[in-house]
Amino acid sequence: MKRNIVIAAVTAAALIGGGTATALATTGDDQGSARQAATTQLSNDDVRDDRDDDGDRDDDAEKTVSADVTASEAIASALKHTSGTVVSAELDDEDDGDKVVWKVDVLSGDNTWHSVSVDPAGGKVLGAHTDDEDDTAQVRAALKGSSVTAEEAAKAAAGKGVVTSVDLDEDGKVKSWEAETRKSGGAEQDWKIDLTSGKVTADRADAQDDDADDADDQD
């Protein structure tokens, strides 16, 4: 379940430029969660790696961004501001602009959805607003009996790389948390986190899709 259209690769001050995306994960807080610092590339929706007639890269084609606040830390900050159940958290560029923030979706006790923006540099809540969602019942049903929160899922996935998003998959046959990570060199991978055990496994469906895409490219 992806609630925001654009998922940024990793966040904070944007700089125009090209190059290979890289990421670095470093050790974490007192509770053992991974603190992540990363540098990677973020492209706007529908922006291609196009060049003009002079061979120069389009100014808006790429942005380099970095984040000091981890997914689990962003979730913790959002919950201090807005109580409820976090259903997703992801790095997102606001209104396709240069500013990139953590967007955390919180479902409150009265079934109101809140979108909380968290500064990826310091963890400060930048703002919040209510959202309209039509899958509240599905989310509640998927989380019934679960013991692993979004924050715990993000911490578990941090062992696989820099977490750029964590999201509840309430549509699949097996309900789970989904997380996307990046490793050094910019390689992306999707993971499933069990809602009761917290076990992290590779998203096989995602891997199969990638294999199919690679086969199409070779045809």
Side-chain angles (χ1 to χ4, degrees), residues 73-111:
E73 290 168 342
I75 290 170
S77 293
L79 287 176
K80 287 180 181 179
H81 181 274
T82 304
S83 62
T85 301
V86 170
V87 180
S88 71
E90 59 188 350
L91 286 166
D92 184 30
D93 63 336
E94 280 196 321
D95 301 322
D96 296 331
D98 289 342
K99 187 176 181 61
V100 186
V101 299
W102 280 107
K103 286 292 185 70
V104 183
D105 288 333
V106 182
L107 177 58
S108 65
D110 62 356
N111 289 334

Side-chain angles (χ1 to χ4, degrees), residues 1 3 79 84-88 105-109 111 113 135-153 166-172 174-178 193-196:
M1 176 182 65
R3 298 182 179 280
L79 287 176
T85 301
V86 170
V87 180
S88 71
D105 288 333
V106 182
L107 177 58
S108 65
N111 289 334
W113 287 92
D135 57 351
T136 301
Q138 287 177 280
V139 169
R140 292 291 190 195
L143 290 174
K144 185 177 181 180
S146 67
S147 55
V148 177
T149 66
E151 182 178 358
E152 292 167 338
V166 60
D167 190 62
L168 178 66
D169 177 15
E170 82 277 19
D171 296 323
V174 178
K175 316 304 182 188
S176 66
W177 292 107
E178 293 181 328
I193 300 94
D194 189 272
L195 289 174
T196 55

